[in-house]
Amino acid sequence: MVPDASMLSADERARADEVRALSSSTPVAVADLVARLDDPSWSVRRAVVAALAAAGDPAVSALCDVILHRRDHEGARRRRRRPRRLDGRAAPAVTALASPDHDPAVIADAAQVLGRARVADAVGALAAVVDHEDDNVAAAAIEALGRIGGPGALDPVIAAARSGNFFRTFPALDVLGRSGDARAVAPLADLLDDPLYAHEAARALGRTGRPSAAAPLAAALSRAGDALLRVVALALVDLHDRLRERNDAPDAVSDAVSAAPQRHAVSRRLGRAAHGADAPERAALCRLLGWLGGDDAAACLLDIVDADPGASRAAATALRALGVAASRRVLDALREGDGARRLALLPLVSDLSAEGAEGAVLACLEDPDASVRALACATLSRGGSTRALEALFACLSDPEARVAQAAVGAIEASGGGAVTEALALAALDSDDRGARHGGALVLSHFAFPAGLDRLVAACEDPDDRVREAALRGLARFPSDVATAAILAATTHPSDRSRAAAVRALGAAQPDPRVTAALAAALDDRSPWVRYYACQALGRAGDPRFARAVADRLGDPAGQVRVAAAEALALLPGDLAHGALLDAARADDPELRRAALRGVAAAGIDDALPLLLDAAGASDPLTRLTAVSSLSALSGAEAADAIRAALGDDDDRVRHAAVEALAARAPRSP
């Protein structure tokens, strides 16, 4: 590769041009190129090396000669560092350089080249120098054999691992671990008791991905010190995950751990080692405790939760794996633990029918931490006993809104029933507004028949939230009584109550009383009342109200203008469509975008020119709306505009264009 000319001086450019000419000659002027390896410019030398590498076989002898006799040559060093694929005469020539007869530096260089090029035919030559007296040669040969791989490459590496020579054993450990060969397990296992190599041997055993590596690693748990114990735990988890990815007997690892000798002592040692571990080590140690099982493992995991909140998730996951074996300790911890412990352990309670389970969770409702109380409510939703329901209804009065909301959700998840109905009715009689609000929500959710009259009465409650919940619930009752109560609330002094009433009317069966109230609500002083009135009239689909809705396109409140445009898209007739087309040309960007969506959804004939114009708007959100809306239209012009949007400056517009084209693509039968 000739360097960028702009980076070179005039002299360097001239010499680089000469290199290019020499490399293009036929035959390639190898000798002249080799002579230029002494060029003072690094960039020119780089070009020379690239040219010689590209020359192939004709350059092999010359390059080998440089490696043999010109060791200090910069070009030779670069060529050794950047070996390319060896073919033709190159592989045999470089393999010959690995002969024990050559200088150790030459052999080491040749080994590196052969390894990086993965020359399988060089295994024999490399194996012959693994026990070379020069440690650098031996290390290079071991690494090269690891890169090449194959059955024949492993035996000399195993011998090196057992040599007792640090500079050979250490690189051999890495090669054996990455080999994935079952024969690597035994020599690695032998080194687990050698303090010099134990850590790397353990890591290598995990990397082998061989089920047979589980037993020696598990056996080391009973004799390793804390530091090695953490490494062994990581190795076992690594091994397990590799086996699981290949679906190759991952249970061999958990079985080996659970069968480890001195399980009780091992559990305690794992728990102790977790306190000085980093996050990945703690997670691995917790997984091992989960595999070990038993009361000791559960106790250690709970200790980890207490000592290190950061490890709570890993410990809780392991406790879940222990199942029944840990349930007693978990429940005891819930009753007696602090907020952090309870937050970690509450998700583990899956069976509230188990002895003591419901009581332990109920105790958490008294925790000073609102997060714990809310989580306890969610946990109780899996039960449904009378005792739990009574406790949940009591939580409706909790000063923290999130706890009361969690209690309502848990009650609704319980499925209803006579007890729930009775408790909800009683809650509406409470002096506490939170209890009344929750009771109204529950009665609304289940639409208990006995709740109709109570919800009607609740429409006069002094609290806005209670009235709002009652009105929402009345919309679920197909009853003249319910409709009359909602209609009456449309004139309530509270803006919030009137908005809730109009919103509820949107879900009621349309009749003259309802539509008249909705039309009147279009002129209400509250923008949210007008907003819900527009929505409800649009869903009613009565074209008689098109003019009244169209008048709201000029409303001072932006949300009302948008709701009016959306409603007009649902109303038939020229009046509604004409007003929507005018809105699609508005200066108000939000109104314009709502109208553009509407004209496309309504299938109005004049929609295409407006959408094409909007696709070129300066505002990216308007372009986004136009492109998305064009997907609903057929024709070549719409398709061309969508394709043009593929080059838009805005990521969202481009993404919308891709989705629009995908939606237009014909479906295969």
Side-chain angles (χ1 to χ4, degrees):
M1 179 182 69
V2 177
D4 184 354
S6 65
M7 304 295 292
L8 304 178
S9 67
D11 288 344
E12 287 175 325
R13 282 199 299 273
R15 298 200 301 277
D17 288 341
E18 292 173 2
V19 169
R20 183 165 51 229
L22 290 171
S23 65
S24 301
S25 62
T26 306
V28 176
V30 171
D32 291 336
L33 287 171
V34 170
R36 292 172 184 266
L37 286 169
D38 289 322
D39 193 281
S41 168
W42 176 87
S43 296
V44 176
R45 294 197 303 273
R46 181 182 180 191
V48 173
V49 171
L52 286 168
D57 284 354
V60 170
S61 297
L63 286 171
C64 288
D65 182 70
V66 170
I67 293 173
L68 274 171
H69 303 296
R70 303 172 69 181
R71 301 294 308 160
D72 59 343
H73 205 294
E74 170 66 17
R77 287 196 295 272
R78 284 192 49 76
R79 181 63 185 127
R80 294 194 297 274
R81 286 196 298 268
R82 296 175 57 243
R84 297 179 179 239
R85 183 174 61 87
L86 300 180
D87 52 17
R89 290 189 296 140
V94 177
T95 302
L97 294 178
S99 168
D101 298 333
H102 288 302
D103 181 88
V106 173
I107 305 172
D109 285 344
Q112 289 183 30
V113 173
L114 293 167
R116 290 172 184 170
R118 291 175 170 78
V119 179
D121 291 341
V123 167
L126 292 168
V129 294
V130 164
D131 58 356
H132 195 281
E133 61 183 12
D134 187 286
D135 289 332
N136 290 327
V137 172
I142 291 167
E143 291 171 359
L145 288 168
R147 289 177 181 273
I148 295 171
L154 198 64
D155 288 334
V157 177
I158 291 174
R162 289 171 166 158
S163 67
N165 182 317
F166 177 83
F167 298 102
R168 296 150 199 254
T169 300
F170 203 78
L173 291 177
D174 181 65
V175 170
L176 291 176
R178 297 183 188 283
S179 70
D181 195 303
R183 290 176 296 163
V185 172
L188 291 172
D190 291 342
L191 294 171
L192 283 175
D193 290 320
D194 190 324
L196 191 60
Y197 306 114
H199 288 69
E200 289 306 315
R203 294 187 182 97
L205 281 167
R207 286 195 298 268
T208 62
R210 307 300 305 185
S212 57
L217 283 170
L221 294 174
S222 60
R223 60 182 187 272
D226 284 357
L228 178 57
L229 200 61
R230 298 179 191 119
V231 174
V232 170
L234 287 169
L236 283 163
V237 168
D238 184 20
L239 179 61
H240 176 273
D241 292 347
R242 289 173 186 267
L243 292 171
R244 182 176 57 191
E245 288 173 5
R246 300 201 312 262
N247 196 25
D248 183 16
D251 290 344
V253 180
S254 54
D255 291 346
V257 172
S258 63
Q262 305 174 21
R263 286 179 57 195
H264 300 307
V266 169
S267 293
R268 291 192 294 272
R269 297 178 76 241
L270 290 172
R272 185 183 67 232
H275 296 310
D278 59 26
E281 291 169 343
R282 282 196 308 268
L285 290 163
C286 287
R287 285 179 68 177
L288 262 62
L289 285 166
W291 291 336
L292 273 170
D295 201 52
D296 288 323
C300 289
L301 288 167
L302 289 169
D303 287 342
I304 292 173
V305 172
D306 288 339
D308 187 356
S312 294
R313 179 175 297 180
T317 302
L319 283 166
R320 185 181 291 112
L322 291 179
V324 177
S327 61
R328 180 179 59 81
R329 286 187 174 273
V330 169
L331 296 178
D332 288 344
L334 283 176
R335 281 188 288 267
E336 302 165 4
D338 60 11
R341 173 182 266 201
R342 284 171 163 173
L343 284 173
L345 298 180
L346 273 169
L348 302 181
V349 182
S350 57
D351 183 11
L352 286 171
S353 64
E355 183 179 357
E358 187 175 75
V361 178
L362 288 171
C364 296
L365 293 176
E366 304 299 325
D367 195 280
D369 187 339
S371 297
V372 175
R373 301 197 300 275
L375 185 55
C377 288
T379 305
L380 287 170
S381 70
R382 299 194 285 270
S385 72
T386 299
R387 184 185 178 195
L389 285 170
E390 290 173 347
L392 288 169
F393 272 94
C395 288
L396 298 178
S397 303
D398 196 285
E400 285 280 351
R402 55 180 162 161
V403 179
Q405 291 168 359
V408 170
I411 294 167
E412 292 176 350
S414 69
V419 174
T420 301
E421 181 179 12
L423 290 170
L425 291 169
L428 269 180
D429 292 331
S430 173
D431 293 333
D432 184 89
R433 62 182 182 178
R436 296 198 307 277
H437 177 240
L441 288 174
V442 173
L443 287 174
S444 299
H445 177 78
F446 291 111
F448 292 123
L452 174 58
D453 292 340
R454 303 298 297 278
L455 290 174
V456 170
C459 289
E460 298 299 327
D461 194 277
D463 186 78
D464 269 343
R465 294 191 309 152
V466 178
R467 295 195 301 271
E468 185 177 9
L471 288 164
R472 187 187 310 169
L474 286 172
R476 302 191 61 187
F477 288 85
S479 161
D480 286 341
V481 173
T483 302
I486 298 171
L487 287 168
T490 60
T491 59
H492 195 282
S494 165
D495 290 354
R496 184 169 177 174
S497 292
R498 293 198 310 280
V502 171
R503 186 178 186 183
L505 286 179
Q509 291 295 324
D511 64 34
R513 294 177 302 161
V514 170
T515 52
L518 291 174
L522 289 173
D523 295 319
D524 194 275
R525 69 171 183 266
S526 168
W528 286 109
V529 175
R530 302 195 299 272
Y531 171 85
Y532 289 122
C534 287
Q535 285 193 333
L537 287 169
R539 286 194 294 269
D542 191 334
R544 293 177 299 167
F545 297 99
R547 170 55 60 195
V549 173
D551 288 343
R552 290 298 103 202
L553 291 172
D555 196 279
Q559 73 267 36
V560 179
R561 297 194 295 272
V562 170
E566 293 171 346
L568 289 170
L570 299 173
L571 295 176
D574 292 342
L575 195 158
H577 289 178
L580 197 59
L581 288 169
D582 289 341
R585 303 182 182 93
D587 294 332
D588 177 359
E590 290 188 4
L591 175 59
R592 183 186 184 191
R593 288 193 290 268
L596 288 169
R597 288 190 293 268
V599 296
I604 299 175
D605 292 338
D606 295 333
L608 181 60
L610 290 170
L611 292 172
L612 292 176
D613 180 63
S618 58
D619 174 35
L621 289 178
T622 301
R623 298 199 303 275
L624 174 64
T625 300
V627 171
S628 299
S629 300
L630 281 167
S631 64
L633 303 183
S634 59
E637 286 184 281
D640 289 344
I642 295 172
R643 292 191 192 95
L646 292 172
D648 196 276
D649 294 336
D650 191 278
D651 287 342
R652 296 165 297 179
V653 178
R654 295 196 299 272
H655 183 69
V658 172
E659 290 190 337
L661 288 173
R664 296 169 64 88
R667 298 288 186 266
S668 58

mmCIF file of all heavy atoms in Angstrom, residues 276-317:
data_model
loop_
_atom_site.group_PDB
_atom_site.id
_atom_site.type_symbol
_atom_site.label_atom_id
_atom_site.label_comp_id
_atom_site.label_asym_id
_atom_site.label_seq_id
_atom_site.Cartn_x
_atom_site.Cartn_y
_atom_site.Cartn_z
ATOM 1 N N GLY A 276 -15.284 -10.004 50.070
ATOM 2 C CA GLY A 276 -14.174 -9.228 49.526
ATOM 3 C C GLY A 276 -14.113 -9.288 48.013
ATOM 4 O O GLY A 276 -13.109 -8.900 47.418
ATOM 5 N N ALA A 277 -15.192 -9.762 47.394
ATOM 6 C CA ALA A 277 -15.175 -9.996 45.949
ATOM 7 C C ALA A 277 -15.721 -8.789 45.192
ATOM 8 O O ALA A 277 -16.450 -7.963 45.739
ATOM 9 C CB ALA A 277 -16.005 -11.232 45.620
ATOM 10 N N ASP A 278 -15.364 -8.713 43.901
ATOM 11 C CA ASP A 278 -15.974 -7.689 43.060
ATOM 12 C C ASP A 278 -17.316 -8.231 42.544
ATOM 13 O O ASP A 278 -17.698 -9.369 42.837
ATOM 14 C CB ASP A 278 -15.048 -7.284 41.909
ATOM 15 C CG ASP A 278 -14.678 -8.446 40.992
ATOM 16 O OD1 ASP A 278 -15.452 -9.425 40.908
ATOM 17 O OD2 ASP A 278 -13.623 -8.377 40.345
ATOM 18 N N ALA A 279 -18.036 -7.410 41.776
ATOM 19 C CA ALA A 279 -19.403 -7.771 41.379
ATOM 20 C C ALA A 279 -19.481 -9.087 40.595
ATOM 21 O O ALA A 279 -20.300 -9.951 40.929
ATOM 22 C CB ALA A 279 -20.036 -6.628 40.590
ATOM 23 N N PRO A 280 -18.647 -9.304 39.550
ATOM 24 C CA PRO A 280 -18.737 -10.589 38.840
ATOM 25 C C PRO A 280 -18.390 -11.778 39.731
ATOM 26 O O PRO A 280 -18.999 -12.848 39.616
ATOM 27 C CB PRO A 280 -17.724 -10.432 37.691
ATOM 28 C CG PRO A 280 -17.552 -8.969 37.514
ATOM 29 C CD PRO A 280 -17.702 -8.381 38.877
ATOM 30 N N GLU A 281 -17.416 -11.600 40.612
ATOM 31 C CA GLU A 281 -17.046 -12.689 41.514
ATOM 32 C C GLU A 281 -18.182 -13.003 42.489
ATOM 33 O O GLU A 281 -18.484 -14.171 42.750
ATOM 34 C CB GLU A 281 -15.780 -12.321 42.283
ATOM 35 C CG GLU A 281 -14.526 -12.265 41.421
ATOM 36 C CD GLU A 281 -13.338 -11.644 42.143
ATOM 37 O OE1 GLU A 281 -13.546 -10.978 43.170
ATOM 38 O OE2 GLU A 281 -12.201 -11.814 41.662
ATOM 39 N N ARG A 282 -18.822 -11.950 43.039
ATOM 40 C CA ARG A 282 -19.944 -12.182 43.946
ATOM 41 C C ARG A 282 -21.065 -12.934 43.253
ATOM 42 O O ARG A 282 -21.662 -13.861 43.807
ATOM 43 C CB ARG A 282 -20.495 -10.846 44.476
ATOM 44 C CG ARG A 282 -19.688 -10.213 45.572
ATOM 45 C CD ARG A 282 -20.505 -9.139 46.271
ATOM 46 N NE ARG A 282 -21.067 -8.181 45.339
ATOM 47 C CZ ARG A 282 -20.494 -7.044 44.977
ATOM 48 N NH1 ARG A 282 -19.315 -6.725 45.470
ATOM 49 N NH2 ARG A 282 -21.094 -6.226 44.138
ATOM 50 N N ALA A 283 -21.357 -12.519 42.022
ATOM 51 C CA ALA A 283 -22.432 -13.190 41.289
ATOM 52 C C ALA A 283 -22.101 -14.665 41.079
ATOM 53 O O ALA A 283 -22.967 -15.541 41.211
ATOM 54 C CB ALA A 283 -22.661 -12.502 39.944
ATOM 55 N N ALA A 284 -20.840 -14.957 40.753
ATOM 56 C CA ALA A 284 -20.434 -16.352 40.552
ATOM 57 C C ALA A 284 -20.512 -17.141 41.852
ATOM 58 O O ALA A 284 -20.996 -18.282 41.878
ATOM 59 C CB ALA A 284 -19.012 -16.393 39.993
ATOM 60 N N LEU A 285 -20.052 -16.550 42.951
ATOM 61 C CA LEU A 285 -20.101 -17.240 44.236
ATOM 62 C C LEU A 285 -21.547 -17.516 44.654
ATOM 63 O O LEU A 285 -21.854 -18.588 45.199
ATOM 64 C CB LEU A 285 -19.395 -16.402 45.299
ATOM 65 C CG LEU A 285 -17.868 -16.305 45.142
ATOM 66 C CD1 LEU A 285 -17.320 -15.139 45.953
ATOM 67 C CD2 LEU A 285 -17.182 -17.601 45.560
ATOM 68 N N CYS A 286 -22.433 -16.575 44.392
ATOM 69 C CA CYS A 286 -23.847 -16.787 44.714
ATOM 70 C C CYS A 286 -24.434 -17.923 43.889
ATOM 71 O O CYS A 286 -25.222 -18.736 44.397
ATOM 72 C CB CYS A 286 -24.643 -15.502 44.476
ATOM 73 S SG CYS A 286 -24.344 -14.208 45.712
ATOM 74 N N ARG A 287 -24.055 -17.991 42.624
ATOM 75 C CA ARG A 287 -24.561 -19.101 41.791
ATOM 76 C C ARG A 287 -24.083 -20.445 42.323
ATOM 77 O O ARG A 287 -24.831 -21.423 42.347
ATOM 78 C CB ARG A 287 -24.128 -18.910 40.338
ATOM 79 C CG ARG A 287 -24.919 -17.835 39.622
ATOM 80 C CD ARG A 287 -24.468 -17.631 38.197
ATOM 81 N NE ARG A 287 -24.776 -18.769 37.332
ATOM 82 C CZ ARG A 287 -24.518 -18.799 36.022
ATOM 83 N NH1 ARG A 287 -23.934 -17.752 35.455
ATOM 84 N NH2 ARG A 287 -24.827 -19.842 35.299
ATOM 85 N N LEU A 288 -22.843 -20.495 42.775
ATOM 86 C CA LEU A 288 -22.325 -21.739 43.345
ATOM 87 C C LEU A 288 -23.089 -22.118 44.609
ATOM 88 O O LEU A 288 -23.401 -23.296 44.829
ATOM 89 C CB LEU A 288 -20.834 -21.611 43.637
ATOM 90 C CG LEU A 288 -19.895 -22.194 42.566
ATOM 91 C CD1 LEU A 288 -20.069 -21.461 41.245
ATOM 92 C CD2 LEU A 288 -18.443 -22.121 43.012
ATOM 93 N N LEU A 289 -23.401 -21.137 45.445
ATOM 94 C CA LEU A 289 -24.173 -21.422 46.650
ATOM 95 C C LEU A 289 -25.556 -21.954 46.284
ATOM 96 O O LEU A 289 -26.090 -22.840 46.955
ATOM 97 C CB LEU A 289 -24.295 -20.160 47.505
ATOM 98 C CG LEU A 289 -23.022 -19.771 48.275
ATOM 99 C CD1 LEU A 289 -23.121 -18.339 48.802
ATOM 100 C CD2 LEU A 289 -22.774 -20.750 49.423
ATOM 101 N N GLY A 290 -26.124 -21.405 45.228
ATOM 102 C CA GLY A 290 -27.405 -21.923 44.766
ATOM 103 C C GLY A 290 -27.310 -23.363 44.307
ATOM 104 O O GLY A 290 -28.219 -24.170 44.531
ATOM 105 N N TRP A 291 -26.196 -23.704 43.653
ATOM 106 C CA TRP A 291 -26.008 -25.102 43.208
ATOM 107 C C TRP A 291 -25.735 -26.026 44.385
ATOM 108 O O TRP A 291 -26.165 -27.176 44.386
ATOM 109 C CB TRP A 291 -24.848 -25.176 42.220
ATOM 110 C CG TRP A 291 -25.129 -24.512 40.902
ATOM 111 C CD1 TRP A 291 -26.351 -24.286 40.342
ATOM 112 C CD2 TRP A 291 -24.173 -23.976 39.982
ATOM 113 N NE1 TRP A 291 -26.219 -23.642 39.131
ATOM 114 C CE2 TRP A 291 -24.893 -23.447 38.878
ATOM 115 C CE3 TRP A 291 -22.780 -23.887 39.977
ATOM 116 C CZ2 TRP A 291 -24.261 -22.847 37.794
ATOM 117 C CZ3 TRP A 291 -22.153 -23.284 38.893
ATOM 118 C CH2 TRP A 291 -22.881 -22.784 37.809
ATOM 119 N N LEU A 292 -25.012 -25.514 45.388
ATOM 120 C CA LEU A 292 -24.711 -26.344 46.554
ATOM 121 C C LEU A 292 -25.980 -26.714 47.306
ATOM 122 O O LEU A 292 -26.177 -27.853 47.719
ATOM 123 C CB LEU A 292 -23.755 -25.605 47.494
ATOM 124 C CG LEU A 292 -22.265 -25.754 47.229
ATOM 125 C CD1 LEU A 292 -21.493 -24.775 48.083
ATOM 126 C CD2 LEU A 292 -21.791 -27.171 47.502
ATOM 127 N N GLY A 293 -26.874 -25.733 47.486
ATOM 128 C CA GLY A 293 -28.129 -25.983 48.167
ATOM 129 C C GLY A 293 -27.947 -26.227 49.654
ATOM 130 O O GLY A 293 -26.838 -26.227 50.192
ATOM 131 N N GLY A 294 -29.062 -26.412 50.331
ATOM 132 C CA GLY A 294 -29.025 -26.708 51.751
ATOM 133 C C GLY A 294 -29.163 -25.471 52.617
ATOM 134 O O GLY A 294 -29.102 -24.325 52.152
ATOM 135 N N ASP A 295 -29.324 -25.714 53.896
ATOM 136 C CA ASP A 295 -29.555 -24.651 54.855
ATOM 137 C C ASP A 295 -28.352 -23.721 54.983
ATOM 138 O O ASP A 295 -28.493 -22.512 55.125
ATOM 139 C CB ASP A 295 -29.893 -25.274 56.213
ATOM 140 C CG ASP A 295 -30.616 -24.306 57.117
ATOM 141 O OD1 ASP A 295 -31.620 -23.726 56.667
ATOM 142 O OD2 ASP A 295 -30.159 -24.109 58.252
ATOM 143 N N ASP A 296 -27.149 -24.292 54.960
ATOM 144 C CA ASP A 296 -25.941 -23.470 55.084
ATOM 145 C C ASP A 296 -25.822 -22.491 53.919
ATOM 146 O O ASP A 296 -25.465 -21.323 54.104
ATOM 147 C CB ASP A 296 -24.697 -24.352 55.136
ATOM 148 C CG ASP A 296 -24.585 -25.094 56.459
ATOM 149 O OD1 ASP A 296 -24.942 -24.506 57.489
ATOM 150 O OD2 ASP A 296 -24.149 -26.253 56.445
ATOM 151 N N ALA A 297 -26.122 -22.979 52.699
ATOM 152 C CA ALA A 297 -26.038 -22.101 51.531
ATOM 153 C C ALA A 297 -27.056 -20.976 51.630
ATOM 154 O O ALA A 297 -26.759 -19.815 51.314
ATOM 155 C CB ALA A 297 -26.263 -22.914 50.253
ATOM 156 N N ALA A 298 -28.267 -21.301 52.083
ATOM 157 C CA ALA A 298 -29.291 -20.267 52.236
ATOM 158 C C ALA A 298 -28.849 -19.213 53.248
ATOM 159 O O ALA A 298 -29.026 -18.008 53.032
ATOM 160 C CB ALA A 298 -30.607 -20.903 52.665
ATOM 161 N N ALA A 299 -28.273 -19.655 54.368
ATOM 162 C CA ALA A 299 -27.810 -18.713 55.390
ATOM 163 C C ALA A 299 -26.719 -17.803 54.831
ATOM 164 O O ALA A 299 -26.704 -16.590 55.093
ATOM 165 C CB ALA A 299 -27.293 -19.477 56.599
ATOM 166 N N CYS A 300 -25.807 -18.365 54.072
ATOM 167 C CA CYS A 300 -24.719 -17.560 53.496
ATOM 168 C C CYS A 300 -25.266 -16.529 52.511
ATOM 169 O O CYS A 300 -24.807 -15.378 52.470
ATOM 170 C CB CYS A 300 -23.708 -18.463 52.799
ATOM 171 S SG CYS A 300 -22.718 -19.462 53.920
ATOM 172 N N LEU A 301 -26.232 -16.940 51.707
ATOM 173 C CA LEU A 301 -26.807 -16.014 50.739
ATOM 174 C C LEU A 301 -27.525 -14.864 51.439
ATOM 175 O O LEU A 301 -27.441 -13.709 51.004
ATOM 176 C CB LEU A 301 -27.766 -16.755 49.813
ATOM 177 C CG LEU A 301 -27.083 -17.683 48.795
ATOM 178 C CD1 LEU A 301 -28.099 -18.613 48.147
ATOM 179 C CD2 LEU A 301 -26.363 -16.866 47.720
ATOM 180 N N LEU A 302 -28.208 -15.159 52.512
ATOM 181 C CA LEU A 302 -28.869 -14.094 53.266
ATOM 182 C C LEU A 302 -27.848 -13.166 53.910
ATOM 183 O O LEU A 302 -28.061 -11.949 53.988
ATOM 184 C CB LEU A 302 -29.787 -14.702 54.327
ATOM 185 C CG LEU A 302 -31.051 -15.372 53.768
ATOM 186 C CD1 LEU A 302 -31.760 -16.163 54.844
ATOM 187 C CD2 LEU A 302 -31.988 -14.320 53.177
ATOM 188 N N ASP A 303 -26.737 -13.723 54.357
ATOM 189 C CA ASP A 303 -25.673 -12.886 54.902
ATOM 190 C C ASP A 303 -25.108 -11.951 53.837
ATOM 191 O O ASP A 303 -24.765 -10.799 54.110
ATOM 192 C CB ASP A 303 -24.544 -13.760 55.470
ATOM 193 C CG ASP A 303 -24.942 -14.427 56.789
ATOM 194 O OD1 ASP A 303 -25.916 -13.965 57.407
ATOM 195 O OD2 ASP A 303 -24.282 -15.416 57.168
ATOM 196 N N ILE A 304 -25.008 -12.458 52.612
ATOM 197 C CA ILE A 304 -24.497 -11.630 51.516
ATOM 198 C C ILE A 304 -25.450 -10.472 51.255
ATOM 199 O O ILE A 304 -25.031 -9.329 51.031
ATOM 200 C CB ILE A 304 -24.301 -12.487 50.243
ATOM 201 C CG1 ILE A 304 -23.169 -13.490 50.459
ATOM 202 C CG2 ILE A 304 -24.017 -11.599 49.034
ATOM 203 C CD1 ILE A 304 -23.020 -14.493 49.331
ATOM 204 N N VAL A 305 -26.749 -10.747 51.291
ATOM 205 C CA VAL A 305 -27.735 -9.683 51.098
ATOM 206 C C VAL A 305 -27.557 -8.602 52.151
ATOM 207 O O VAL A 305 -27.612 -7.401 51.863
ATOM 208 C CB VAL A 305 -29.166 -10.260 51.143
ATOM 209 C CG1 VAL A 305 -30.195 -9.134 51.141
ATOM 210 C CG2 VAL A 305 -29.401 -11.187 49.967
ATOM 211 N N ASP A 306 -27.333 -9.016 53.413
ATOM 212 C CA ASP A 306 -27.181 -8.051 54.506
ATOM 213 C C ASP A 306 -25.886 -7.256 54.388
ATOM 214 O O ASP A 306 -25.865 -6.040 54.598
ATOM 215 C CB ASP A 306 -27.188 -8.777 55.850
ATOM 216 C CG ASP A 306 -28.575 -9.304 56.200
ATOM 217 O OD1 ASP A 306 -29.549 -8.779 55.647
ATOM 218 O OD2 ASP A 306 -28.665 -10.249 56.999
ATOM 219 N N ALA A 307 -24.805 -7.948 54.074
ATOM 220 C CA ALA A 307 -23.493 -7.298 54.092
ATOM 221 C C ALA A 307 -23.243 -6.438 52.868
ATOM 222 O O ALA A 307 -22.486 -5.474 52.924
ATOM 223 C CB ALA A 307 -22.392 -8.360 54.208
ATOM 224 N N ASP A 308 -23.877 -6.779 51.754
ATOM 225 C CA ASP A 308 -23.569 -6.091 50.501
ATOM 226 C C ASP A 308 -24.844 -5.922 49.687
ATOM 227 O O ASP A 308 -25.217 -6.813 48.926
ATOM 228 C CB ASP A 308 -22.528 -6.889 49.710
ATOM 229 C CG ASP A 308 -22.035 -6.132 48.483
ATOM 230 O OD1 ASP A 308 -22.551 -5.041 48.220
ATOM 231 O OD2 ASP A 308 -21.139 -6.644 47.799
ATOM 232 N N PRO A 309 -25.549 -4.790 49.833
ATOM 233 C CA PRO A 309 -26.776 -4.587 49.066
ATOM 234 C C PRO A 309 -26.567 -4.707 47.561
ATOM 235 O O PRO A 309 -27.474 -5.086 46.831
ATOM 236 C CB PRO A 309 -27.203 -3.158 49.450
ATOM 237 C CG PRO A 309 -26.574 -2.929 50.782
ATOM 238 C CD PRO A 309 -25.272 -3.675 50.753
ATOM 239 N N GLY A 310 -25.353 -4.403 47.095
ATOM 240 C CA GLY A 310 -25.080 -4.520 45.672
ATOM 241 C C GLY A 310 -25.157 -5.943 45.157
ATOM 242 O O GLY A 310 -25.316 -6.182 43.961
ATOM 243 N N ALA A 311 -25.020 -6.896 46.071
ATOM 244 C CA ALA A 311 -25.071 -8.307 45.670
ATOM 245 C C ALA A 311 -26.458 -8.894 45.846
ATOM 246 O O ALA A 311 -26.654 -10.092 45.645
ATOM 247 C CB ALA A 311 -24.066 -9.113 46.501
ATOM 248 N N SER A 312 -27.428 -8.071 46.225
ATOM 249 C CA SER A 312 -28.752 -8.588 46.549
ATOM 250 C C SER A 312 -29.378 -9.357 45.399
ATOM 251 O O SER A 312 -29.978 -10.415 45.590
ATOM 252 C CB SER A 312 -29.675 -7.431 46.962
ATOM 253 O OG SER A 312 -29.235 -6.849 48.160
ATOM 254 N N ARG A 313 -29.253 -8.822 44.183
ATOM 255 C CA ARG A 313 -29.917 -9.474 43.054
ATOM 256 C C ARG A 313 -29.326 -10.854 42.796
ATOM 257 O O ARG A 313 -30.061 -11.828 42.595
ATOM 258 C CB ARG A 313 -29.775 -8.608 41.798
ATOM 259 C CG ARG A 313 -30.414 -9.227 40.574
ATOM 260 C CD ARG A 313 -30.363 -8.293 39.377
ATOM 261 N NE ARG A 313 -31.132 -7.090 39.634
ATOM 262 C CZ ARG A 313 -31.261 -6.099 38.755
ATOM 263 N NH1 ARG A 313 -30.660 -6.176 37.584
ATOM 264 N NH2 ARG A 313 -31.982 -5.026 39.052
ATOM 265 N N ALA A 314 -27.998 -10.947 42.814
ATOM 266 C CA ALA A 314 -27.365 -12.249 42.574
ATOM 267 C C ALA A 314 -27.721 -13.231 43.678
ATOM 268 O O ALA A 314 -28.012 -14.409 43.416
ATOM 269 C CB ALA A 314 -25.846 -12.082 42.487
ATOM 270 N N ALA A 315 -27.716 -12.760 44.940
ATOM 271 C CA ALA A 315 -28.044 -13.643 46.051
ATOM 272 C C ALA A 315 -29.500 -14.067 46.002
ATOM 273 O O ALA A 315 -29.832 -15.235 46.255
ATOM 274 C CB ALA A 315 -27.738 -12.941 47.373
ATOM 275 N N ALA A 316 -30.397 -13.124 45.652
ATOM 276 C CA ALA A 316 -31.814 -13.460 45.583
ATOM 277 C C ALA A 316 -32.086 -14.468 44.475
ATOM 278 O O ALA A 316 -32.899 -15.390 44.634
ATOM 279 C CB ALA A 316 -32.635 -12.192 45.353
ATOM 280 N N THR A 317 -31.390 -14.328 43.349
ATOM 281 C CA THR A 317 -31.553 -15.294 42.262
ATOM 282 C C THR A 317 -31.121 -16.683 42.702
ATOM 283 O O THR A 317 -31.781 -17.694 42.392
ATOM 284 C CB THR A 317 -30.730 -14.852 41.035
ATOM 285 O OG1 THR A 317 -31.163 -13.560 40.630
ATOM 286 C CG2 THR A 317 -30.897 -15.829 39.889
#
